[in-house]
Amino acid sequence: MTDSVFVRLLGPVAASRGSEEIPLGPPRQQAVLAMLACGAGQPFSLDQLVDGLWGERPPRSARQSIYTYVAGLRRALDPRRGRRAPSGLLHGVANGYLLDLGPDGVDCLLLARRLDEARTSPSAHALDLVEQALELWRGPALIGVPGPFAESERLRLDDLRLRAEEERGRLLLTLGRPREAVAGLTALTRSHPLHEPARELLMIALDRAGRGPEAVEVFEEGTRVLREELDTAPGDRLVRCRELVSLGRLAPSVPRQLPRDLTGFVGREAVSTLVRARLAPADGSGPTPVVAISGAPGAGKSALALHVAHRVRDRFPDGQLYVNLHGATPGVSPLAPLDVLGRFLRALGVPGAQVPPSLDEASALWRSTLDQRRLLVVLDNAAGAAQLRPLLSLPAGCAVLVTSRESLSHLDDCAQTTLERMGDTEAFTMLSRLIGPERCAAEREEAERIARLCDWLPLALRIASARLADQPGWSLAAFAARLDDEQRRLQELETGDLAVRASFTTSWRVLRDSGSRLDRQAARALALLGHLHVPDVTVEAAAALLGSGTAQAEAALERLAAGHLLDRGGPGRYHMHDLVRLFSAGLTPAKHRAVLLRALGHYAATARVAARLTDPHRVQPVGPPVRARPMFLADAEQARDWLGTEQANLVAAASQALAEPDDDVARLGVAVTFALYWFQHVSCQAHDQLRLNERVLAVSERLGDDRMALEAHNHVAAAQNMMGRVTEALAHHTTHLGLARRIGDRFCEQRAHANMAATLHTAERYEESLHHAECQLRIATEIGSEVGQRYALMMAASSLLGLGRPAAARSRLERAWRMALESGDRWHLGVVLCKLAAVCLEQGELAAALRHYSEAKVVIVSGARITEIECALGLSRTHRLLGDLKTAHRHWAEAERLAGSRAGSWDKPLHEESLLLQQARDASAWSHLARNAR
């Protein structure tokens, strides 16, 4: 019988024997039971019971009342006990009583035991235990029970419940389930608004669920509540959490990047089932590697892809990645595969500094990072196969879902579905969902007529629905009559951008005319953002564009995102949909110039700071003046990360500016281009560098600016040299040299000789290369340019080595090595060490060559591709000559990988070393056969 009684205190006080409820008598009798039950088998004295019921002022009959309550409890708990028989449950002890129910006989004791066990259990089991503990609660503890003990115990149990709810949220976060944690932590924060640990957990859960702005709102709400209720500010932990949310450093290791599923998505059952079956086969087998959805513009490809992706995401527990590739985005260039890989790798936890700048290397790291993972990658709005191929060929278990206007059936391992127009029933259902079933049912024939006039395209239907939703007073017949006019229909639906402009005007005006300052700021932001043709915009860039602080800019961007006029990208990044961008750009055409000047000023100023921080030893090109205030960058690593992350935006902004007829805007485009020079040069971004600087040449000719032309000729030549286009490069160097002499800039004159020497060296015209290197050395010495002297010595040594004069080359390199060491210029130091190693190879000093190459590999600046390739190729030669062909081939493969698609001037040395390696392997094999024959 003892085991069958269970006392419940976590809610109204109750007790049961099996399925039978036990009547417990009046509230004070229940209070005595509560005290004895909470004692966990420990005795309570009469004095303790009296104090627990009445406190310091008990009535005279207190003790007698205790006897009465105990007798009543004994009758209730042990009804079959004889009149004079001792109780089997409620025992009398010296001057008190003891209730013996065992550890599982009281819910609050069972609660504590499960929570204690959870603290030492693995996370998954601990979560089960905590949830079992929380299920014991039936409401506020000890409801209606009087007395000081009940009051204090109620507080203790409520606090225990609070801790258990916190622990549940913490465990869900540990297990990578932030979305499940949000609901419970939201309720907990509402019931305990002053409790900062719960608020902190809610902020973390929201941020990891991809709802960072809501996490900020939770912080702001807490700040307000603490100020109003306690006249205090949030604690350090909560403030730090807010900072980490803003910096994007609370992001989970499992990415959940899918945009929300459209609430108005209907139909498409057959094609949806087909795509789902390819991504998540019913038999549990692996997904089809590449699933493509193609179709006409406006067919709803992106909506279908996201709809399906949300329904199969549980089959990809390691995360979902998403990117809009801008393959058909008006005014925006398609994203480069390398930029996409950089975004995805950073989302998967790869530090920005470790993301390779070469496409082949980044693709290899991408595949390695996904090994043993099950991820779904959604590539939306692809331009075509060329943009996609570096992103595919993922390990088994991963799948890529692609949307594109182009057919992708020729891709390897690709299953393609072509999305047709909607049927009549689907189109009507979509209209009903978006504007209301009652409205459509009242004018069913007119709704069907609108669907037909919209050509059953989801995009056109959505535009029509937005118009009707903004005009609740319009009848469907009246709107259908507007669409009946073919000229009006083409204007509003078929041309797309005009229709979007009409449909979004109402939303924009609501913001513009609102009494809320934030709404008006958001309207202004929308009216300005479309002028800048970049893939996405950061809070800092938006602040510059708006001429506001970052907090104001972020608030405006978030307001637009909340109104579905802007989409959230990564932390602190936002992008516009294609048609919204066109609508936005037409709102304030008169402000186009001012907007571009502010945005380009931000990009140019920050890129200049980043360039100087990345390598202070490099002499930056002289560009047009920039008066804008740069974004703060703390150190070289942050500067490199910013340049890498913003490269696509910088190139796009510079391209747009250089095409503008306004001279001031074009000059800022030149400033951005010149600030990118060293970043693009050391990372072998030759194609972008060439394209931008050729446009700068056109601008310089228009402006009659010789100084601008001088720098651009130098950059064009450098890019062409990297691409192996030596003859063209030499022509630009010659012009560069002539301009330097004409304007009397001796530094640029010696630089022109330097780069002429480098290009002639590429062409293996060593005598001419040596002549220009010596000219540079003479001028650099005269003007006191140490960096020029170091480079001249290096180029002279390279030319001398090409001429078969290694001893003369060595003396120049040893001098350059001492100068580089004294200055701390790691890039030049790495170059000198590689060239010293090459001299040692030429003179047969293999051990010394190996030592120099090994030292160079340590000091080479991260991302200095040219020097990294030279070092890897040198190590291949050295190990080949030492007879270690396996190690030699490994270094040759590294050099080939580093060169990648940008091989250019490295094609010949790579090919030659490959042939020599093959000859060495063949000779080794013949030698082995000869020995065996003997």
Side-chain angles (χ1 to χ4, degrees), residues 545-581:
L545 181 147
L546 298 171
S548 71
T550 53
Q552 288 177 297
E554 183 177 22
L557 295 171
E558 281 299 318
R559 178 64 184 88
L560 291 174
H564 308 296
L565 296 171
L566 203 63
D567 280 355
R568 301 178 183 96
R573 308 186 81 87
Y574 302 82
H575 65 273
M576 282 184 167
H577 277 296
D578 307 348
L579 300 177
V580 178
R581 186 185 304 279

Side-chain angles (χ1 to χ4, degrees), residues 6 96 195 305 401 428 442 552 689 749 873 924:
F6 186 75
H195 190 65
L401 178 57
F428 177 81
Q552 288 177 297
Q689 188 178 79
E749 184 181 353
L873 201 54
S924 176

Side-chain angles (χ1 to χ4, degrees), residues 332-333 533-535 647-657 691-692 695:
V332 176
S333 300
H533 299 163
V534 294
Q647 183 185 7
N649 287 330
L650 293 170
V651 170
S655 297
Q656 179 186 359
R691 179 167 54 89
L692 288 178
R695 294 183 182 181

Side-chain angles (χ1 to χ4, degrees), residues 670-829:
V670 173
V672 175
T673 300
F674 286 1
L676 281 171
Y677 170 70
W678 282 110
F679 178 79
Q680 292 176 330
H681 183 71
V682 300
S683 57
C684 295
Q685 303 290 330
H687 293 284
D688 280 342
Q689 188 178 79
L690 178 62
R691 179 167 54 89
L692 288 178
N693 282 281
E694 284 179 336
R695 294 183 182 181
V696 172
L697 283 177
V699 172
S700 70
E701 184 176 353
R702 184 178 91 205
L703 299 176
D705 191 327
D706 285 348
R707 179 76 211 196
M708 185 184 295
L710 176 150
E711 298 286 1
H713 279 294
N714 180 44
H715 301 168
V716 167
Q720 289 172 335
N721 187 33
M722 278 191 283
M723 298 165 72
R725 294 161 56 178
V726 173
T727 302
E728 297 169 79
L730 288 172
H732 283 285
H733 282 314
T734 301
T735 305
H736 173 205
L737 181 59
L739 285 170
R741 286 170 173 166
R742 190 164 79 199
I743 66 177
D745 189 325
R746 302 214 72 203
F747 179 86
C748 288
E749 184 181 353
Q750 63 89 33
R751 184 182 66 186
H753 282 295
N755 293 333
M756 187 82 80
T759 304
L760 288 164
H761 186 275
T762 301
E764 299 182 354
R765 293 159 60 177
Y766 300 124
E767 286 285 3
E768 296 170 81
S769 175
L770 178 60
H771 166 72
H772 284 284
E774 289 174 341
C775 287
Q776 182 198 10
L777 181 60
R778 176 177 53 79
I779 298 172
T781 303
E782 291 173 359
I783 65 175
S785 171
E786 289 193 8
V787 67
Q789 292 174 58
R790 293 197 299 272
Y791 192 84
L793 289 168
M794 290 187 291
M795 283 312 309
S798 296
S799 301
L800 287 166
L801 189 60
L803 292 168
R805 298 165 59 187
R810 184 193 292 267
S811 67
R812 285 163 175 77
L813 288 172
E814 287 173 347
R815 181 181 167 192
W817 179 82
R818 288 191 295 272
M819 294 177 70
L821 194 63
E822 290 173 4
S823 68
D825 188 340
R826 289 184 59 188
W827 188 26
H828 275 186
L829 189 60

Side-chain angles (χ1 to χ4, degrees), residues 226-247:
L226 288 167
R227 184 176 62 252
E228 292 174 353
E229 298 293 331
L230 302 178
D231 193 24
T232 189
D236 292 342
R237 284 181 60 89
L238 204 61
V239 172
R240 179 58 177 160
C241 185
R242 166 67 174 87
E243 293 172 351
L244 292 175
V245 168
S246 298
L247 294 171

Side-chain angles (χ1 to χ4, degrees), residues 475-741:
S475 67
L476 301 191
F479 186 62
R482 295 165 69 92
L483 293 179
D484 257 337
D485 183 337
E486 289 189 357
Q487 290 185 344
R488 171 169 256 157
R489 191 191 323 159
L490 289 173
Q491 177 184 359
E492 296 188 1
L493 297 177
E494 296 296 328
T495 57
D497 60 318
L498 293 175
V500 167
R501 185 176 296 115
S503 64
F504 281 115
T505 294
T506 301
S507 297
W508 176 69
R509 285 177 178 168
V510 167
L511 292 173
R512 185 194 63 182
D513 301 334
S514 168
S516 164
R517 182 181 178 186
L518 176 58
D519 283 358
R520 295 194 301 274
Q521 289 173 340
R524 178 172 177 266
L526 182 66
L528 300 181
L529 283 169
H531 292 291
L532 186 62
H533 299 163
V534 294
D536 58 20
V537 65
T538 63
V539 170
E540 292 80 9
L545 181 147
L546 298 171
S548 71
T550 53
Q552 288 177 297
E554 183 177 22
L557 295 171
E558 281 299 318
R559 178 64 184 88
L560 291 174
H564 308 296
L565 296 171
L566 203 63
D567 280 355
R568 301 178 183 96
R573 308 186 81 87
Y574 302 82
H575 65 273
M576 282 184 167
H577 277 296
D578 307 348
L579 300 177
V580 178
R581 186 185 304 279
L582 293 173
F583 164 75
S584 166
L587 290 172
T588 54
K591 295 185 178 180
H592 181 72
R593 178 178 185 273
V595 169
L596 288 184
L597 288 175
R598 288 196 295 268
L600 288 162
H602 161 77
Y603 285 134
T606 308
R608 282 184 175 179
V609 169
R612 288 194 295 269
L613 278 174
T614 300
D615 190 347
H617 295 283
R618 306 283 68 80
V619 178
Q620 301 300 323
V622 178
V626 177
R627 290 184 291 274
R629 183 178 180 180
M631 171 184 165
F632 174 74
L633 298 171
D635 51 30
E637 181 180 359
Q638 190 177 2
R640 272 191 294 270
D641 285 347
W642 185 85
L643 286 168
T645 303
E646 286 294 282
Q647 183 185 7
N649 287 330
L650 293 170
V651 170
S655 297
Q656 179 186 359
L658 292 170
E660 289 283 328
D662 184 277
D663 291 347
D664 291 334
V665 173
R667 285 189 178 93
L668 283 175
V670 173
V672 175
T673 300
F674 286 1
L676 281 171
Y677 170 70
W678 282 110
F679 178 79
Q680 292 176 330
H681 183 71
V682 300
S683 57
C684 295
Q685 303 290 330
H687 293 284
D688 280 342
Q689 188 178 79
L690 178 62
R691 179 167 54 89
L692 288 178
N693 282 281
E694 284 179 336
R695 294 183 182 181
V696 172
L697 283 177
V699 172
S700 70
E701 184 176 353
R702 184 178 91 205
L703 299 176
D705 191 327
D706 285 348
R707 179 76 211 196
M708 185 184 295
L710 176 150
E711 298 286 1
H713 279 294
N714 180 44
H715 301 168
V716 167
Q720 289 172 335
N721 187 33
M722 278 191 283
M723 298 165 72
R725 294 161 56 178
V726 173
T727 302
E728 297 169 79
L730 288 172
H732 283 285
H733 282 314
T734 301
T735 305
H736 173 205
L737 181 59
L739 285 170
R741 286 170 173 166

